[in-house]
Amino acid sequence: MHAAAAPARTGNAAVAFAHAAIASMLRFGIRPTPAHFTIWYDYHSGEQPMVRRVLSTFLDSGQPVDERLMFEIHDRFYRPGREMQLFLDASQHIQSALHVAVSQVAEAGSNATRYGSTLRRFSGALGAEGPELPGLLARLQEETEALSRRCDQLGGDISSSAERIGALERELAEARREATTDVLTGLPNRRAFEDQLRRAAQEATMRGHSLCLLIADIDRFKHINDTWGHPVGDAVLRRVAQTIGACLGEGILAARMGGEEFAALLPHATLAAAQQAAERIRQAVSEKSFSVRSTGKDLGIVTISIGVAAYQRGEPLPCLVERADVALYQAKQARRNRVASLPEPV
């Protein structure tokens, strides 16, 4: 069973979490590095609900909790990934392009200032004797032609810079999309889901409307991978993701949380409505026909278990996630291919 809901982070609570983190590292013989300490601190405090859930799964099942697991957790939840580098690269390129554009505009201003100076000298000399006038007119003509050439060139350069900035903005938008999208299924990823969960909970708290969370897990997915191979397992994940999205429709966020686990947020949905949505998903998945494309062999029935929880206004989000997770566990215990719910805090 999962750790208790995290209390408010007061000074005393923070010290207690720190002591608990150190005790956990000693218990499992894990070196007290900053990275390991952060993982265990977040587990005990509930600061990272997904870290807490992963560790709780290992603890509850008796699987080894060692430094290899620490590395996997840190790599998955804490290490900046490719998307962060894409953000940084795109930002630097945009800054560089803007710097060039600003320089070009400054040069245009300098050219205009110099031309204005020439015009003022010409104006001041209009009253001069006749022999000087032809030379002044020739100089003015040269300056006018030179300014025209420079303006044409700068216009082209600035246009090119604008196009480059536009392309970089599109690259940045694509990097942002990649950062929040699961590559395999095309659904939003865990990071995007947790951000949306925070926003949805804040809105539900402020406006007083309902909010429900679904957590779904493909039953015996390890058996599918072990029997048919990971490419087939990936195809099953994509098919299940498509089915979940089709059952929920537009305006409802479904995400892949990692592995064979999915989640969905149902704003404005009552617990009864969320249970009905979960049942539609469960039934639709179980009715799908799954086969190996290369051989045509039937995989048999693929099923999914789903836990449902209703948000209690103002509660810590780890409590909501934990209730949905406990409900999922109950569905698994009830011979899988089930929907279970926990409406109230346990």
mmCIF file of all heavy atoms in Angstrom, residues 185-188 214 216 237-256 262-264 277 280-282 284-285 288 304:
data_model
loop_
_atom_site.group_PDB
_atom_site.id
_atom_site.type_symbol
_atom_site.label_atom_id
_atom_site.label_comp_id
_atom_site.label_asym_id
_atom_site.label_seq_id
_atom_site.Cartn_x
_atom_site.Cartn_y
_atom_site.Cartn_z
ATOM 1 N N THR A 185 2.705 6.505 -28.759
ATOM 2 C CA THR A 185 1.251 6.512 -28.933
ATOM 3 C C THR A 185 0.692 7.811 -29.495
ATOM 4 O O THR A 185 -0.447 7.839 -29.962
ATOM 5 C CB THR A 185 0.560 6.244 -27.585
ATOM 6 O OG1 THR A 185 0.875 7.319 -26.681
ATOM 7 C CG2 THR A 185 1.044 4.931 -26.982
ATOM 8 N N GLY A 186 1.465 8.892 -29.423
ATOM 9 C CA GLY A 186 0.969 10.187 -29.854
ATOM 10 C C GLY A 186 0.118 10.894 -28.822
ATOM 11 O O GLY A 186 -0.325 12.023 -29.046
ATOM 12 N N LEU A 187 -0.130 10.244 -27.671
ATOM 13 C CA LEU A 187 -0.878 10.887 -26.601
ATOM 14 C C LEU A 187 0.026 11.847 -25.833
ATOM 15 O O LEU A 187 1.253 11.740 -25.889
ATOM 16 C CB LEU A 187 -1.420 9.833 -25.626
ATOM 17 C CG LEU A 187 -2.525 8.900 -26.125
ATOM 18 C CD1 LEU A 187 -2.864 7.881 -25.036
ATOM 19 C CD2 LEU A 187 -3.767 9.677 -26.527
ATOM 20 N N PRO A 188 -0.551 12.782 -25.080
ATOM 21 C CA PRO A 188 0.268 13.570 -24.156
ATOM 22 C C PRO A 188 1.010 12.641 -23.197
ATOM 23 O O PRO A 188 0.534 11.543 -22.882
ATOM 24 C CB PRO A 188 -0.764 14.430 -23.412
ATOM 25 C CG PRO A 188 -1.912 14.540 -24.367
ATOM 26 C CD PRO A 188 -1.967 13.227 -25.089
ATOM 27 N N LEU A 214 -9.069 8.991 -14.035
ATOM 28 C CA LEU A 214 -9.008 7.575 -14.374
ATOM 29 C C LEU A 214 -7.552 7.164 -14.518
ATOM 30 O O LEU A 214 -6.763 7.877 -15.140
ATOM 31 C CB LEU A 214 -9.714 7.279 -15.712
ATOM 32 C CG LEU A 214 -11.130 7.803 -15.957
ATOM 33 C CD1 LEU A 214 -11.626 7.303 -17.309
ATOM 34 C CD2 LEU A 214 -12.064 7.372 -14.853
ATOM 35 N N ALA A 216 -5.599 3.710 -15.879
ATOM 36 C CA ALA A 216 -5.842 2.425 -16.535
ATOM 37 C C ALA A 216 -4.532 1.694 -16.775
ATOM 38 O O ALA A 216 -3.495 2.318 -17.006
ATOM 39 C CB ALA A 216 -6.571 2.644 -17.867
ATOM 40 N N LEU A 237 0.005 -1.193 -27.432
ATOM 41 C CA LEU A 237 -0.068 0.093 -26.739
ATOM 42 C C LEU A 237 -0.696 1.162 -27.634
ATOM 43 O O LEU A 237 -1.552 1.934 -27.189
ATOM 44 C CB LEU A 237 1.329 0.540 -26.311
ATOM 45 C CG LEU A 237 1.947 -0.190 -25.118
ATOM 46 C CD1 LEU A 237 3.421 0.183 -24.979
ATOM 47 C CD2 LEU A 237 1.210 0.154 -23.830
ATOM 48 N N ARG A 238 -0.284 1.192 -28.891
ATOM 49 C CA ARG A 238 -0.842 2.194 -29.806
ATOM 50 C C ARG A 238 -2.340 1.957 -30.023
ATOM 51 O O ARG A 238 -3.127 2.900 -30.044
ATOM 52 C CB ARG A 238 -0.089 2.153 -31.143
ATOM 53 C CG ARG A 238 1.292 2.783 -31.095
ATOM 54 C CD ARG A 238 1.866 2.966 -32.493
ATOM 55 N NE ARG A 238 2.200 1.676 -33.096
ATOM 56 C CZ ARG A 238 3.388 1.094 -33.011
ATOM 57 N NH1 ARG A 238 4.356 1.680 -32.322
ATOM 58 N NH2 ARG A 238 3.621 -0.058 -33.605
ATOM 59 N N ARG A 239 -2.726 0.702 -30.161
ATOM 60 C CA ARG A 239 -4.135 0.394 -30.403
ATOM 61 C C ARG A 239 -4.980 0.749 -29.183
ATOM 62 O O ARG A 239 -6.088 1.303 -29.311
ATOM 63 C CB ARG A 239 -4.257 -1.094 -30.713
ATOM 64 C CG ARG A 239 -5.648 -1.541 -31.159
ATOM 65 C CD ARG A 239 -5.847 -1.289 -32.645
ATOM 66 N NE ARG A 239 -7.148 -1.767 -33.092
ATOM 67 C CZ ARG A 239 -7.409 -3.030 -33.432
ATOM 68 N NH1 ARG A 239 -6.444 -3.937 -33.373
ATOM 69 N NH2 ARG A 239 -8.599 -3.365 -33.851
ATOM 70 N N VAL A 240 -4.490 0.432 -28.011
ATOM 71 C CA VAL A 240 -5.230 0.762 -26.789
ATOM 72 C C VAL A 240 -5.328 2.282 -26.632
ATOM 73 O O VAL A 240 -6.374 2.812 -26.254
ATOM 74 C CB VAL A 240 -4.552 0.133 -25.561
ATOM 75 C CG1 VAL A 240 -5.151 0.685 -24.264
ATOM 76 C CG2 VAL A 240 -4.706 -1.383 -25.594
ATOM 77 N N ALA A 241 -4.232 2.996 -26.932
ATOM 78 C CA ALA A 241 -4.246 4.463 -26.843
ATOM 79 C C ALA A 241 -5.302 5.046 -27.775
ATOM 80 O O ALA A 241 -6.055 5.964 -27.402
ATOM 81 C CB ALA A 241 -2.866 5.019 -27.193
ATOM 82 N N GLN A 242 -5.384 4.529 -28.993
ATOM 83 C CA GLN A 242 -6.392 5.007 -29.942
ATOM 84 C C GLN A 242 -7.799 4.722 -29.429
ATOM 85 O O GLN A 242 -8.711 5.548 -29.566
ATOM 86 C CB GLN A 242 -6.181 4.326 -31.295
ATOM 87 C CG GLN A 242 -4.906 4.746 -32.003
ATOM 88 C CD GLN A 242 -4.581 3.851 -33.193
ATOM 89 O OE1 GLN A 242 -5.307 2.905 -33.499
ATOM 90 N NE2 GLN A 242 -3.467 4.134 -33.860
ATOM 91 N N THR A 243 -7.981 3.570 -28.827
ATOM 92 C CA THR A 243 -9.296 3.194 -28.310
ATOM 93 C C THR A 243 -9.721 4.106 -27.162
ATOM 94 O O THR A 243 -10.872 4.561 -27.092
ATOM 95 C CB THR A 243 -9.282 1.731 -27.834
ATOM 96 O OG1 THR A 243 -8.866 0.883 -28.912
ATOM 97 C CG2 THR A 243 -10.658 1.307 -27.354
ATOM 98 N N ILE A 244 -8.782 4.384 -26.262
ATOM 99 C CA ILE A 244 -9.089 5.278 -25.144
ATOM 100 C C ILE A 244 -9.478 6.661 -25.662
ATOM 101 O O ILE A 244 -10.467 7.255 -25.228
ATOM 102 C CB ILE A 244 -7.884 5.377 -24.193
ATOM 103 C CG1 ILE A 244 -7.669 4.042 -23.474
ATOM 104 C CG2 ILE A 244 -8.095 6.496 -23.170
ATOM 105 C CD1 ILE A 244 -6.407 3.997 -22.630
ATOM 106 N N GLY A 245 -8.686 7.187 -26.599
ATOM 107 C CA GLY A 245 -8.990 8.499 -27.161
ATOM 108 C C GLY A 245 -10.342 8.541 -27.843
ATOM 109 O O GLY A 245 -11.099 9.498 -27.698
ATOM 110 N N ALA A 246 -10.684 7.475 -28.571
ATOM 111 C CA ALA A 246 -11.965 7.428 -29.275
ATOM 112 C C ALA A 246 -13.131 7.358 -28.298
ATOM 113 O O ALA A 246 -14.188 7.959 -28.536
ATOM 114 C CB ALA A 246 -11.993 6.232 -30.220
ATOM 115 N N CYS A 247 -12.957 6.643 -27.196
ATOM 116 C CA CYS A 247 -14.036 6.509 -26.213
ATOM 117 C C CYS A 247 -14.286 7.811 -25.455
ATOM 118 O O CYS A 247 -15.424 8.134 -25.111
ATOM 119 C CB CYS A 247 -13.715 5.397 -25.218
ATOM 120 S SG CYS A 247 -13.828 3.727 -25.901
ATOM 121 N N LEU A 248 -13.236 8.557 -25.206
ATOM 122 C CA LEU A 248 -13.369 9.777 -24.411
ATOM 123 C C LEU A 248 -13.767 10.979 -25.255
ATOM 124 O O LEU A 248 -14.440 11.887 -24.780
ATOM 125 C CB LEU A 248 -12.061 10.071 -23.666
ATOM 126 C CG LEU A 248 -11.684 9.061 -22.580
ATOM 127 C CD1 LEU A 248 -10.325 9.389 -21.999
ATOM 128 C CD2 LEU A 248 -12.743 9.042 -21.481
ATOM 129 N N GLY A 249 -13.319 11.022 -26.500
ATOM 130 C CA GLY A 249 -13.679 12.126 -27.380
ATOM 131 C C GLY A 249 -12.852 13.382 -27.119
ATOM 132 O O GLY A 249 -11.932 13.400 -26.288
ATOM 133 N N GLU A 250 -13.190 14.445 -27.846
ATOM 134 C CA GLU A 250 -12.453 15.698 -27.748
ATOM 135 C C GLU A 250 -12.764 16.412 -26.431
ATOM 136 O O GLU A 250 -13.842 16.263 -25.863
ATOM 137 C CB GLU A 250 -12.800 16.616 -28.925
ATOM 138 C CG GLU A 250 -12.388 16.061 -30.284
ATOM 139 C CD GLU A 250 -12.684 17.020 -31.404
ATOM 140 O OE1 GLU A 250 -13.176 18.132 -31.107
ATOM 141 O OE2 GLU A 250 -12.439 16.676 -32.570
ATOM 142 N N GLY A 251 -11.781 17.196 -25.987
ATOM 143 C CA GLY A 251 -11.981 17.995 -24.782
ATOM 144 C C GLY A 251 -11.630 17.274 -23.502
ATOM 145 O O GLY A 251 -11.687 17.866 -22.427
ATOM 146 N N ILE A 252 -11.310 15.974 -23.578
ATOM 147 C CA ILE A 252 -10.910 15.208 -22.403
ATOM 148 C C ILE A 252 -9.473 14.751 -22.603
ATOM 149 O O ILE A 252 -9.146 14.159 -23.633
ATOM 150 C CB ILE A 252 -11.833 14.002 -22.167
ATOM 151 C CG1 ILE A 252 -13.266 14.489 -21.899
ATOM 152 C CG2 ILE A 252 -11.342 13.149 -21.011
ATOM 153 C CD1 ILE A 252 -14.253 13.377 -21.669
ATOM 154 N N LEU A 253 -8.621 15.030 -21.642
ATOM 155 C CA LEU A 253 -7.207 14.723 -21.775
ATOM 156 C C LEU A 253 -6.932 13.282 -21.363
ATOM 157 O O LEU A 253 -7.189 12.888 -20.229
ATOM 158 C CB LEU A 253 -6.369 15.663 -20.904
ATOM 159 C CG LEU A 253 -4.862 15.399 -20.949
ATOM 160 C CD1 LEU A 253 -4.297 15.796 -22.304
ATOM 161 C CD2 LEU A 253 -4.141 16.140 -19.840
ATOM 162 N N ALA A 254 -6.428 12.494 -22.303
ATOM 163 C CA ALA A 254 -5.925 11.158 -22.006
ATOM 164 C C ALA A 254 -4.432 11.176 -22.262
ATOM 165 O O ALA A 254 -3.949 11.860 -23.171
ATOM 166 C CB ALA A 254 -6.609 10.116 -22.888
ATOM 167 N N ALA A 255 -3.681 10.441 -21.463
ATOM 168 C CA ALA A 255 -2.225 10.472 -21.568
ATOM 169 C C ALA A 255 -1.649 9.094 -21.295
ATOM 170 O O ALA A 255 -2.270 8.264 -20.623
ATOM 171 C CB ALA A 255 -1.641 11.486 -20.588
ATOM 172 N N ARG A 256 -0.463 8.882 -21.825
ATOM 173 C CA ARG A 256 0.292 7.677 -21.467
ATOM 174 C C ARG A 256 1.252 8.067 -20.349
ATOM 175 O O ARG A 256 2.081 8.952 -20.509
ATOM 176 C CB ARG A 256 1.071 7.139 -22.653
ATOM 177 C CG ARG A 256 1.805 5.830 -22.313
ATOM 178 C CD ARG A 256 2.705 5.378 -23.434
ATOM 179 N NE ARG A 256 3.449 4.176 -23.043
ATOM 180 C CZ ARG A 256 4.562 3.774 -23.623
ATOM 181 N NH1 ARG A 256 5.081 4.461 -24.634
ATOM 182 N NH2 ARG A 256 5.176 2.681 -23.204
ATOM 183 N N PHE A 262 -2.074 4.235 -18.524
ATOM 184 C CA PHE A 262 -2.679 5.424 -19.106
ATOM 185 C C PHE A 262 -3.484 6.151 -18.027
ATOM 186 O O PHE A 262 -3.821 5.576 -16.991
ATOM 187 C CB PHE A 262 -3.600 5.050 -20.269
ATOM 188 C CG PHE A 262 -2.911 4.344 -21.398
ATOM 189 C CD1 PHE A 262 -2.759 2.962 -21.385
ATOM 190 C CD2 PHE A 262 -2.408 5.052 -22.472
ATOM 191 C CE1 PHE A 262 -2.119 2.297 -22.412
ATOM 192 C CE2 PHE A 262 -1.758 4.404 -23.513
ATOM 193 C CZ PHE A 262 -1.617 3.023 -23.481
ATOM 194 N N ALA A 263 -3.786 7.401 -18.283
ATOM 195 C CA ALA A 263 -4.602 8.180 -17.356
ATOM 196 C C ALA A 263 -5.486 9.121 -18.155
ATOM 197 O O ALA A 263 -5.197 9.452 -19.317
ATOM 198 C CB ALA A 263 -3.727 8.963 -16.383
ATOM 199 N N ALA A 264 -6.576 9.555 -17.532
ATOM 200 C CA ALA A 264 -7.478 10.507 -18.176
ATOM 201 C C ALA A 264 -8.088 11.412 -17.132
ATOM 202 O O ALA A 264 -8.368 10.988 -16.008
ATOM 203 C CB ALA A 264 -8.571 9.773 -18.958
ATOM 204 N N ALA A 277 -17.704 6.243 -18.289
ATOM 205 C CA ALA A 277 -16.662 6.442 -19.299
ATOM 206 C C ALA A 277 -15.604 5.344 -19.191
ATOM 207 O O ALA A 277 -15.139 4.811 -20.210
ATOM 208 C CB ALA A 277 -16.028 7.815 -19.119
ATOM 209 N N ARG A 280 -16.913 2.171 -20.673
ATOM 210 C CA ARG A 280 -16.879 2.197 -22.143
ATOM 211 C C ARG A 280 -15.492 1.840 -22.648
ATOM 212 O O ARG A 280 -15.340 1.093 -23.622
ATOM 213 C CB ARG A 280 -17.282 3.586 -22.660
ATOM 214 C CG ARG A 280 -18.766 3.892 -22.537
ATOM 215 C CD ARG A 280 -19.150 5.070 -23.431
ATOM 216 N NE ARG A 280 -18.399 6.279 -23.121
ATOM 217 C CZ ARG A 280 -18.770 7.176 -22.213
ATOM 218 N NH1 ARG A 280 -19.889 6.983 -21.520
ATOM 219 N NH2 ARG A 280 -18.053 8.257 -21.993
ATOM 220 N N ILE A 281 -14.480 2.398 -22.003
ATOM 221 C CA ILE A 281 -13.099 2.090 -22.403
ATOM 222 C C ILE A 281 -12.808 0.608 -22.197
ATOM 223 O O ILE A 281 -12.260 -0.073 -23.078
ATOM 224 C CB ILE A 281 -12.108 2.949 -21.586
ATOM 225 C CG1 ILE A 281 -12.268 4.426 -21.935
ATOM 226 C CG2 ILE A 281 -10.676 2.483 -21.844
ATOM 227 C CD1 ILE A 281 -11.481 5.358 -21.028
ATOM 228 N N ARG A 282 -13.149 0.099 -21.024
ATOM 229 C CA ARG A 282 -12.875 -1.306 -20.713
ATOM 230 C C ARG A 282 -13.532 -2.225 -21.733
ATOM 231 O O ARG A 282 -12.904 -3.152 -22.264
ATOM 232 C CB ARG A 282 -13.391 -1.636 -19.311
ATOM 233 C CG ARG A 282 -13.044 -3.056 -18.843
ATOM 234 C CD ARG A 282 -14.025 -3.554 -17.808
ATOM 235 N NE ARG A 282 -15.386 -3.661 -18.321
ATOM 236 C CZ ARG A 282 -15.805 -4.638 -19.121
ATOM 237 N NH1 ARG A 282 -14.971 -5.592 -19.519
ATOM 238 N NH2 ARG A 282 -17.060 -4.664 -19.554
ATOM 239 N N ALA A 284 -14.657 -1.485 -24.795
ATOM 240 C CA ALA A 284 -14.140 -1.287 -26.155
ATOM 241 C C ALA A 284 -12.809 -2.009 -26.354
ATOM 242 O O ALA A 284 -12.574 -2.616 -27.405
ATOM 243 C CB ALA A 284 -13.972 0.211 -26.435
ATOM 244 N N VAL A 285 -11.924 -1.949 -25.348
ATOM 245 C CA VAL A 285 -10.632 -2.635 -25.465
ATOM 246 C C VAL A 285 -10.842 -4.143 -25.540
ATOM 247 O O VAL A 285 -10.232 -4.845 -26.361
ATOM 248 C CB VAL A 285 -9.710 -2.264 -24.283
ATOM 249 C CG1 VAL A 285 -8.455 -3.142 -24.286
ATOM 250 C CG2 VAL A 285 -9.312 -0.792 -24.360
ATOM 251 N N LYS A 288 -11.850 -5.486 -28.964
ATOM 252 C CA LYS A 288 -10.947 -5.333 -30.094
ATOM 253 C C LYS A 288 -10.320 -6.675 -30.462
ATOM 254 O O LYS A 288 -10.085 -7.526 -29.602
ATOM 255 C CB LYS A 288 -9.834 -4.330 -29.774
ATOM 256 C CG LYS A 288 -10.305 -2.897 -29.617
ATOM 257 C CD LYS A 288 -10.734 -2.303 -30.936
ATOM 258 C CE LYS A 288 -11.166 -0.853 -30.764
ATOM 259 N NZ LYS A 288 -11.673 -0.261 -32.019
ATOM 260 N N ILE A 304 -8.173 -4.443 -20.016
ATOM 261 C CA ILE A 304 -7.617 -3.303 -19.288
ATOM 262 C C ILE A 304 -8.392 -3.139 -17.976
ATOM 263 O O ILE A 304 -9.601 -3.372 -17.930
ATOM 264 C CB ILE A 304 -7.716 -2.023 -20.159
ATOM 265 C CG1 ILE A 304 -6.864 -0.894 -19.591
ATOM 266 C CG2 ILE A 304 -9.148 -1.594 -20.361
ATOM 267 C CD1 ILE A 304 -6.705 0.266 -20.565
#
